[in-house]
């Protein structure tokens, strides 16, 4: 009997020793994972150690609960973080930030009343000189105001878009394509590359996925980008240059022996494929994170998030100038955007408004979305606006914002609609993609810049000037288009330009409207290196007399020459091959002179104009654009008599019509530039 008692005691002691040893081993592993930033794996070990720690070991249980809480906070396991923080408080093992962090987690859980108590506890126990006091006070005001914000609501409507979502995290959507017909986003779904699960999140490392609309406007099943862009590491939160050819994204590599920091990388699109990403060196600092890139609408600045020294606390939003030779120096965009908290996920609405997410401003919990506008662009009636020099910050309210993390906006053109991401209502803290819509009245102008008689000019630029002081330089997309928001009651002038082409000007007067409206402008630019067809010039049969229906085309030519006052042109007329060469040449010369007389009568200096009648000497050379209308012709075909006669009667007549044409070509672009007296004496 005595031996049996001793055996039971021995086993109990052995179990206690082994349990204690197991807990210590788990803590050691947990600390190693934590040092590497692998918070999911660290939390698993800390929880194991906590569960193996006897209840009477109150100090150890409290310490381990606190470490567990810190891990759960970082991976958005809100409920578990709250429970762990409460255990640390119960065991009296808090640190200086415990009550602040618990308050923030309670905000994310929608428990505003208890959050206010915890913020107040932190404020009462912390020096007024601490930079975190302002963060806690903003949190306290948030806890007091959030219930009313939720009750008031806003004009926004939001909808969870499950078509794009998986059973894992899906976030940071970004619309792309000339018609916003592509949606790129980040996902940790099972289709992501690699077989291992991240020690940071407990899911697969994120990849960039995309969905595209079909011809009927229906989104297709999301797929991973199947190039070297995606790797076994984390890729996500992408943004695009205005021409859509460069992708900026975040990449976070891992290493089993030391922490690795997020970096910004770039990928270039060749045809339809994205290249392997290369790191974009923003500074010499290798111990800071660089993430969440966003290109400004004009393509001149790259905004991003970083915890580099010199910020205002936590993560701040910085920017760097983008140039053809690389990037300029980084600069912190400062207050009022940045706070002692975290400012993350900057993005731009095409009208120039900066959207970002923060837990440092007054909000509803977690990360809230804020809008930073130039002060003169915001009405003084904004109920939640905070006015400071340079920017006005607006909190767009509920339901765009929620008690969870809300971030990663992307817009369908100038409209106040698009997609964003949020982890609202997800018990595991995983993010999902939502759509949003706000029925605000927006007036926009959409312009198309293209070669006259040719295709779009993606390298063009448009200068926009308004009598309200607007002075902008607009880049165009790959299809030669641009879209810009405009204001009622303003007169605008738009100048389309492109190297190697003449300028084209359009004017627009914007009147107030009761519903959103888009104005469309065309910018056909004349090539200075090739003949340019003048459409719709008509003459009486077998004569040089201009018909009345030619007036509109002739007036457009007058306008073009007025907009390009330093240009001289040769105005040429051509006939088909029928008739004698001598007769055709005389007729075409008279026709060219008729056009010249019209231009002179409408104010164009005669020494800028040279009439030439070529008759049938210069048959038309076919441009690629014409082959779309005349599929029986090929690019660079020359419409000689011999070539035309190889076709049938109907096609021959179409070729003859193409040869009967009036064109101009640029002779000089320096007219009047070197005359110091009158400006038009250069011959």
């Amino acid at each position: 009997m005595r031996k049996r008692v001793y055996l039971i005691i021995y086993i109990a002691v052995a179990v206690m020793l082994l349990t204690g040893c197991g807990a210590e081993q788990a803590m050691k592993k947990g600390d190693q994972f934590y040092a590497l930033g692998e918070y999911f794996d660290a939390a698993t070990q800390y929880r194991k150690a906590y569960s193996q720690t006897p209840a009477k070991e109150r100090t150890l249980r409290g310490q381990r609960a606190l470490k567990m809480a810190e891990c759960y906070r970082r991976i958005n396991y809100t409920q578990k973080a709250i429970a762990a923080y409460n255990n640390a408080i119960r065991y009296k093992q808090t640190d200086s930030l415990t009550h602040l962090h618990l308050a923030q987690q309670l905000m994310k859980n929608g428990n505003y009343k208890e959050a206010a108590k915890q913020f107040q506890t932190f404020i009462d126990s912390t020096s007024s000189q601490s930079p975190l006091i302002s963060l806690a006070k903003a949190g306290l005001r948030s806890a007091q105001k959030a219930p009313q914000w939720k009750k008031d609501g806003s004009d926004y409507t939001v909808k969870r878009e499950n078509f794009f979502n998986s059973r894992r995290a899906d976030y940071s959507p970004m619309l792309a394509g000339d018609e916003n017909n592509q949606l790129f986003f980040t996902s940790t779904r099972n289709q992501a590359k690699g077989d291992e699960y991240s020690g940071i999140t407990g899911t697969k490392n994120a990849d960039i996925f995309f969905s595209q609309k079909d011809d009927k406007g229906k989104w297709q099943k999301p797929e991973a980008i199947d190039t070297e862009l995606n790797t076994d590491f984390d890729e996500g939160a992408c943004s695009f240059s205005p021409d859509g050819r460069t992708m900026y994204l975040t990449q976070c590599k891992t290493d089993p022996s030391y922490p690795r920091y997020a970096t910004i990388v770039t990928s270039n699109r060749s045809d339809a494929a994205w290249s392997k990403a290369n790191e974009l060196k923003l500074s010499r600092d290798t111990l800071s994170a660089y993430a969440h890139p966003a290109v400004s609408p004009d393509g001149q600045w790259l905004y991003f998030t970083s915890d580099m020294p010199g910020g205002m606390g936590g993560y701040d939003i910085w920017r760097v100038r983008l140039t053809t030779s690389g990037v300029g120096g980084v600069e912190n965009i400062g207050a009022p955007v940045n706070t002692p908290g975290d400012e993350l996920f900057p993005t731009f609405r095409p009208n120039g408004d900066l959207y970002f997410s923060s837990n440092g401003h007054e909000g509803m919990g977690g990360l809230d979305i804020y809008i930073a506008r130039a002060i003169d662009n915001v009405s003084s009636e904004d109920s939640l606006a905070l006015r400071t020099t340079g920017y006005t910050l607006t909190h767009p309210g509920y339901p765009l914002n929620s008690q969870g993390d809300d971030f990663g906006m992307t817009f369908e053109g100038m409209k106040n609609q698009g997609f964003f991401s949020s982890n609202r209502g997800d018990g595991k803290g995983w993010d999902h993609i939502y759509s949003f819509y706000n029925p605000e009245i927006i007036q926009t102008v959409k312009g198309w810049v293209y070669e006259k008689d040719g295709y779009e000019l993606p390298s063009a630029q448009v200068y926009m000037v308004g009598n309200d002081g607007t002075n902008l330089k607009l880049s165009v997309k790959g299809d030669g288009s641009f879209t810009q928001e405009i204001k009622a009651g303003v007169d605008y002038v738009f100048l389309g330009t492109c190297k190697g082409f003449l300028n084209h000007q359009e004017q627009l007067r914007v009147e107030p409207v009761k519903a959103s409206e888009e104005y469309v402008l065309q910018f056909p630019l004349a090539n200075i290196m090739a003949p340019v067809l003048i459409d719709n010039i008509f003459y009486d049969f077998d004569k040089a007399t201009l018909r009345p229906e030619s007036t509109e085309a002739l007036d457009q030519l007058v306008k073009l020459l007025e907009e390009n006052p330093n240009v001289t042109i040769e105005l040429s007329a051509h006939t088909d091959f029928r008739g004698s060469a001598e007769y055709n040449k005389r007729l075409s010369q008279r026709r060219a002179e008729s056009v010249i007389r019209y231009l002179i009568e409408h104010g164009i200096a005669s020494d800028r104009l040279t009439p030439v009648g070529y008759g049938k000497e210069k048959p038309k050379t076919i441009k690629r654009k014409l082959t779309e209308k005349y599929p029986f012709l090929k690019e660079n075909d020359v419409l000689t008599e011999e070539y035309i006669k190889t076709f049938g009667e109907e096609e021959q007549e179409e070729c003859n019509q193409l040869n009967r044409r009036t064109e101009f070509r640029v002779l000089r672009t320096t007219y009047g530039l070197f005359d110091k007296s009158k400006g038009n004496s250069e011959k």
Side-chain angles (χ1 to χ4, degrees):
M1 184 68 179
R2 184 180 298 174
K3 289 182 179 179
R4 186 178 179 185
V5 172
Y6 286 152
L7 179 60
I8 292 173
I9 293 173
Y10 173 80
I11 292 173
V13 171
V15 169
M16 290 177 63
L17 290 172
L18 288 173
T19 300
C21 181
E24 291 300 327
Q25 187 66 24
M27 287 299 300
K28 184 176 180 181
K29 288 183 179 180
D31 289 342
Q32 290 173 344
F33 287 133
Y34 192 92
L36 294 173
E38 297 179 349
Y39 303 115
F40 180 85
D41 286 348
T44 301
Q45 295 300 320
Y46 290 147
R47 181 173 180 79
K48 179 180 178 182
Y50 179 84
S51 65
Q52 293 179 355
T53 304
K56 65 180 182 180
E57 297 287 346
R58 297 179 62 84
T59 299
L60 275 179
R61 283 179 70 86
Q63 292 171 351
R64 291 167 183 179
L66 184 59
K67 287 196 171 185
M68 195 162 46
E70 286 299 301
C71 292
Y72 287 143
R73 176 178 67 86
R74 292 170 182 270
I75 60 176
N76 284 328
Y77 280 28
T78 302
Q79 295 279 18
K80 291 184 177 182
I82 291 172
Y85 278 125
N86 279 327
N87 280 333
I89 293 172
R90 179 161 62 95
Y91 290 123
K92 295 182 171 54
Q93 294 299 313
T94 60
D95 64 17
S96 60
L97 298 178
T98 298
H99 292 283
L100 176 61
H101 287 159
L102 175 56
Q104 292 170 333
Q105 295 301 299
L106 290 166
M107 289 288 293
K108 294 183 71 170
N109 202 42
N111 192 341
Y112 297 125
K113 187 175 181 180
E114 185 59 32
K117 293 179 181 178
Q118 295 297 329
F119 279 125
Q120 190 63 61
T121 298
F122 177 81
I123 293 169
D124 292 341
S125 61
T126 304
S127 168
S128 60
Q129 303 302 313
S130 171
L132 295 179
I133 283 292
S134 62
L135 187 64
K137 288 182 176 179
L140 178 58
R141 293 192 298 272
S142 298
Q144 295 165 344
K145 296 178 180 179
Q148 187 63 44
W149 289 342
K150 188 171 183 178
K151 182 179 179 180
D152 292 343
S154 70
D155 291 333
Y156 284 92
T157 58
V158 302
K159 177 186 175 184
R160 180 163 162 168
E161 297 293 342
N162 286 328
F163 179 77
F164 302 115
N165 294 317
S166 66
R167 295 183 178 180
R168 296 293 185 267
D170 304 282
Y171 58 96
S172 290
M174 182 56 61
L175 286 163
D178 296 329
E179 299 298 327
N180 293 311
N181 58 353
Q182 298 174 344
L183 183 70
F184 292 77
F185 61 93
T186 310
S187 180
T188 62
R189 63 187 63 193
N190 291 334
Q191 290 75 25
K193 280 189 175 181
D195 299 321
E196 297 183 359
Y197 285 78
S198 168
I200 302 173
T201 62
T203 64
K204 296 188 75 171
N205 285 329
D207 277 348
I208 302 290
F209 285 72
F210 77 101
S211 176
Q212 183 149 350
K213 286 183 179 179
D214 61 17
D215 294 339
K216 297 181 180 179
K218 183 178 179 181
W219 289 108
Q220 301 300 290
K221 181 180 178 181
E223 298 178 357
I225 295 179
D226 190 21
T227 68
E228 291 184 292
L229 171 68
N230 284 323
T231 69
D232 291 343
F233 302 118
D234 266 311
E235 284 85 26
C238 64
S239 177
F240 298 92
S241 58
D243 63 9
R245 296 185 178 276
T246 302
M247 179 193 295
Y248 298 81
L249 65 152
T250 306
Q251 186 178 77
C252 189
K253 296 183 178 180
T254 57
D255 190 284
S257 57
Y258 63 97
R260 295 298 296 265
Y261 300 94
T263 59
I264 291 175
V265 296
T266 62
S267 172
N268 297 314
R269 179 168 61 86
S270 177
D271 295 326
W274 291 98
S275 68
K276 182 179 180 180
N278 295 304
E279 183 177 353
L280 182 67
K281 290 284 187 181
L282 298 177
S283 80
R284 296 179 181 179
D285 180 359
T286 60
L287 298 178
S288 299
Y290 304 87
H292 310 162
V295 182
S296 61
D298 60 10
Q300 296 187 29
W301 294 93
L302 180 70
Y303 285 65
F304 61 94
T305 290
S306 179
D307 59 351
M308 73 175 76
M312 298 181 64
Y315 285 88
D316 277 8
I317 293 176
W318 302 68
R319 70 176 187 172
V320 63
R321 186 176 288 278
L322 297 173
T323 69
T324 55
S325 58
V327 298
V330 298
E331 57 184 60
N332 189 296
I333 69 171
V337 171
N338 291 321
T339 70
D342 294 326
E343 280 67 51
L344 307 164
F345 297 99
T347 189
F348 283 93
R349 189 173 170 181
N351 66 2
D353 290 346
L354 171 65
Y355 285 67
F356 67 98
S357 293
S358 172
N359 60 17
H361 294 283
E362 294 180 17
M364 300 186 67
L367 294 172
D368 270 25
I369 294 168
Y370 299 85
I371 309 168
R373 297 189 181 103
I375 288 177
D376 59 358
N377 287 340
V378 179
S379 166
S380 60
E381 299 176 359
D382 283 335
S383 60
L384 296 177
L386 171 64
R387 295 190 171 275
T388 60
T389 303
Y391 282 114
T392 296
L393 297 190
T394 303
H395 182 278
Y398 179 85
L400 186 65
N401 285 312
S402 69
Q403 65 196 41
D405 291 327
D406 307 294
F407 61 98
M409 303 280 284
T410 186
F411 294 86
E412 294 183 24
M414 289 290 171
K415 298 176 182 177
N416 197 353
Q417 67 184 52
F419 301 94
F420 72 110
S421 41
S422 177
N423 64 8
R424 62 186 69 185
D426 191 286
K428 293 184 177 180
W430 287 341
D431 307 304
H432 304 288
I433 293 173
Y434 288 74
S435 62
F436 70 91
Y437 170 69
N438 186 314
E440 68 182 28
I441 296 175
I442 301 172
Q443 291 179 271
T444 59
V445 58
K446 184 163 189 176
W448 303 86
V449 188
Y450 54 93
E451 179 181 3
K452 192 174 175 65
D453 306 321
Y455 291 93
E456 61 274 359
L457 296 172
S459 59
Q461 288 189 322
V462 177
Y463 294 86
M464 171 182 172
V465 178
N467 62 357
D468 64 339
T470 298
N471 192 341
L472 300 175
K473 182 170 69 173
L474 310 175
S475 298
V476 302
K477 298 180 181 178
D479 64 347
S481 73
F482 69 90
T483 305
Q484 181 63 35
E485 187 173 355
I486 49 181
K487 300 176 185 176
V490 179
D491 294 319
Y492 292 101
V493 176
F494 297 85
L495 183 67
T497 68
C498 189
K499 186 177 181 181
F501 294 83
L502 298 184
N503 298 334
H504 180 86
Q505 186 181 107
E506 291 288 339
Q507 298 182 10
L508 180 65
R509 167 71 182 179
V510 185
E511 301 294 346
V513 295
K514 295 183 179 180
S516 295
E517 186 168 341
E518 182 175 78
Y519 304 85
V520 177
L521 300 178
Q522 303 284 341
F523 295 83
L525 304 190
N527 193 325
I528 65 174
M529 302 300 293
V532 179
L533 177 69
I534 309 173
D535 279 322
N536 301 319
I537 299 290
F538 304 101
Y539 308 91
D540 286 339
F541 178 72
D542 207 28
K543 295 181 180 179
T545 307
L546 287 165
R547 296 183 61 80
E549 54 264 39
S550 303
T551 301
E552 182 177 351
L554 291 169
D555 289 343
Q556 287 294 321
L557 182 56
V558 170
K559 181 172 179 285
L560 183 146
L561 291 169
E562 290 174 343
E563 293 168 356
N564 297 270
N566 303 119
V567 166
T568 66
I569 65 168
E570 174 192 276
L571 193 291
S572 60
H574 304 261
T575 66
D576 58 37
F577 65 81
R578 292 171 294 193
S580 70
E582 183 178 349
Y583 176 82
N584 281 336
K585 193 162 187 175
R586 287 200 306 270
L587 176 63
S588 61
Q589 180 67 31
R590 296 201 312 274
R591 287 178 170 178
E593 290 171 351
S594 293
V595 175
I596 293 297
R597 281 195 295 273
Y598 186 95
L599 298 178
I600 294 173
E601 289 169 1
H602 287 77
I604 305 302
S606 61
D607 57 351
R608 297 178 61 193
L609 309 169
T610 302
V612 179
Y614 285 105
K616 59 181 178 180
E617 292 177 2
K618 290 192 173 185
K620 187 174 183 65
T621 299
I622 299 301
K623 288 185 176 182
R624 182 159 58 97
K625 184 70 174 178
L626 267 181
T627 64
E628 297 175 5
K629 184 177 181 180
Y630 303 97
F632 65 93
L633 297 174
K634 297 181 179 61
E635 185 179 6
N636 296 322
D637 282 350
V638 180
L639 300 185
T640 62
E641 180 178 355
E642 295 76 18
Y643 181 68
I644 292 174
K645 287 182 176 179
T646 63
F647 296 113
E649 183 176 338
E650 183 178 340
E651 292 169 334
Q652 284 190 37
E653 180 53 33
E654 289 177 330
C655 291
N656 285 329
Q657 289 177 5
L658 291 173
N659 270 335
R660 295 193 297 269
R661 67 197 190 276
T662 302
E663 296 176 333
F664 75 87
R665 66 183 181 91
V666 175
L667 298 177
R668 294 200 311 274
T669 58
T670 57
Y671 176 83
L673 290 180
F674 306 107
D675 177 30
K676 298 181 180 179
S677 56
K678 297 181 180 179
N680 66 349
S681 64
E682 182 193 6
K683 304 295 184 181

